[in-house]
Amino acid sequence: MNKDISGILCDEAELDSIVKRLAGEINRDYAGKSVVVVGILKGSAIFLADLFRRLEIDCTLDFMAVSSYGSETIPSGSLRIEKNLSTDISGKHVLIVEDILDTGNTLYALKAYLEELHPCSVRLCTLLDKPSRREKPITADYCGREVENQFIVGYGLDYDEHYRNLPYIGILSPSVYRK
Ligand code: PRP
């Protein structure tokens, strides 16, 4: 195990079974439909790569890079878009794929932004959910697993851009971020 990791929260076998289950739910719900899968960079990249290749429905792939700041009177107003869609989603089913739903600020604003583009539907798939941290009323339509408020990294999740390459999700040793 990496020396900066104090414990494993989700090992490779569990990740594999979560991805399999989520893909099954998505394949069932979107059977016969077409969906634009939107990965939110960068954290979702590894999860998305595993999930996407298990989808058996008609789907296309696009990416956004976003963050949120402060609070605005218009929900989508607090969204900072660093990379926007290259797909016209009007009239289409959209599935957002995220690594983690935390305060909900980013996804709440992103969902509101996407709804303004007149898609047929917008759903959210997240690998991890920290419901205890929620500040905005948003829930995932597809959720891999709920986690407590721990500092976790790996399988796409970072600390200061590092550890995304770990094949498991681990708990970051406090000695790393208390330096
Ligand atoms: C993470 C995650 C979500 C957001 C969730 O991204 O991928 O986009 O934070 O947090 P929230 O629910 O509190 O808004 P991050 O900004 O860390 O960027 P990254 O994906 O590039 O690591």
Side-chain angles (χ1 to χ4, degrees):
M1 195 164 66
N2 184 294
K3 65 176 173 36
D4 295 337
I5 302 301
S6 63
I8 292 185
L9 183 85
C10 215
D11 63 16
E12 290 179 69
E14 190 183 347
L15 286 166
D16 192 53
S17 102
I18 287 173
V19 169
K20 233 184 252 179
R21 173 176 59 79
L22 291 174
E25 292 172 15
I26 293 165
N27 284 329
R28 180 199 64 208
D29 292 355
Y30 289 94
K33 294 177 183 160
S34 232
V35 59
V36 182
V37 176
V38 178
I40 309 304
L41 299 170
K42 303 171 193 167
S44 74
I46 314 299
F47 167 51
L48 174 66
D50 285 346
L51 182 75
F52 195 71
R53 77 185 90 186
R54 286 189 181 275
L55 297 185
E56 293 162 358
I57 47 173
D58 180 44
C59 52
T60 60
L61 182 58
D62 206 341
F63 293 95
M64 289 183 81
V66 296
S67 55
S68 68
Y69 56 94
S71 58
E72 295 277 334
T73 43
I74 306 167
S76 63
S78 62
L79 192 69
R80 181 184 291 115
I81 300 176
E82 287 149 35
K83 187 222 167 292
N84 210 333
L85 294 171
S86 52
T87 309
D88 176 5
I89 60 165
S90 160
K92 296 183 180 161
H93 295 290
V94 173
L95 179 65
I96 303 167
V97 175
E98 258 294 15
D99 54 340
I100 189 159
L101 183 54
D102 190 4
T103 64
N105 287 317
T106 310
L107 271 301
Y108 185 77
L110 175 63
K111 249 189 132 178
Y113 171 79
L114 293 176
E115 300 279 8
E116 288 167 9
L117 301 176
H118 310 292
C120 186
S121 69
V122 180
R123 286 185 184 166
L124 169 63
C125 173
T126 187
L127 173 63
L128 304 173
D129 187 3
K130 276 186 181 173
S132 64
R133 294 253 309 155
R134 201 75 88 253
E135 294 173 7
K136 289 281 177 0
I138 181 162
T139 52
D141 301 282
Y142 305 94
C143 174
R145 108 169 230 198
E146 290 191 0
V147 292
E148 288 171 17
N149 189 22
Q150 293 165 302
F151 209 130
I152 49 181
V153 293
Y155 198 63
L157 286 91
D158 75 310
Y159 169 67
D160 199 17
E161 294 299 328
H162 294 271
Y163 309 104
R164 293 193 199 272
N165 56 315
L166 297 178
Y168 52 83
I169 294 174
I171 298 159
L172 189 64
S173 172
S175 61
V176 176
Y177 52 88
R178 285 195 191 136
K179 268 177 197 165

